[in-house]
Amino acid sequence: QVQLVESGGGLVQAGGSLSLSCAASGTISSINAMGWYRRTPGKQRELVAIMTNSANTNYADSVKDRFTISRDSAKSTVSLQMNTLKPEDTAVYYCYARRRLYQIDYDIWGQGTQVTVSS
């Protein structure tokens, strides 16, 4: 089992910065990628950023050059530094981990944390 606990988020004015962090516990050796998704009301959850164990990253076009994803050396924590925030970044942000068992990938989700950017 893998559990994800998020921290960070909150309210910030447009142009400001926020940082999110997520700690994984349990069988973290089975995790091969961690990242962040977000969802706004009426929309599907979308990828924000993800990093594999080999440090390959993928960002949504809308956050490139503003957000930075990082993981600690133990690969049990993933962080998201969000700069130059815009009102359209307002969403519930979910920590994500991809767990591989017997060549099958499983999606693990955190409980979500609210990020609100005021104009």
Side-chain angles (χ1 to χ4, degrees), residues 39-45:
R39 180 161 58 193
T40 54
K43 292 186 178 181
Q44 289 187 332
R45 190 154 42 188

Side-chain angles (χ1 to χ4, degrees), residues 58-80:
N58 188 27
Y59 290 90
D61 288 341
S62 59
V63 307
K64 283 180 181 177
D65 302 322
R66 298 189 297 122
F67 291 10
T68 303
I69 189 171
S70 61
R71 292 178 67 185
D72 68 331
S73 58
K75 298 182 173 58
S76 63
T77 301
V78 62
S79 299
L80 186 69

Side-chain angles (χ1 to χ4, degrees), residues 37-104:
Y37 283 70
R38 66 187 181 188
R39 180 161 58 193
T40 54
K43 292 186 178 181
Q44 289 187 332
R45 190 154 42 188
E46 63 173 357
L47 173 70
V48 176
I50 192 166
M51 179 182 281
T52 67
N53 283 6
S54 55
N56 293 319
T57 59
N58 188 27
Y59 290 90
D61 288 341
S62 59
V63 307
K64 283 180 181 177
D65 302 322
R66 298 189 297 122
F67 291 10
T68 303
I69 189 171
S70 61
R71 292 178 67 185
D72 68 331
S73 58
K75 298 182 173 58
S76 63
T77 301
V78 62
S79 299
L80 186 69
Q81 178 63 40
M82 304 182 291
N83 298 327
T84 320
L85 282 160
K86 303 175 180 180
E88 51 264 42
D89 294 318
T90 296
V92 178
Y93 284 70
Y94 296 89
C95 180
Y96 166 81
R98 186 173 65 211
R99 186 184 182 204
R100 171 154 285 199
L101 289 174
Y102 305 110
Q103 300 184 335
I104 299 174

Side-chain angles (χ1 to χ4, degrees), residues 24-43:
S25 61
T27 314
I28 60 174
S29 60
S30 63
I31 294 174
N32 60 24
M34 293 185 75
W36 296 90
Y37 283 70
R38 66 187 181 188
R39 180 161 58 193
T40 54
K43 292 186 178 181

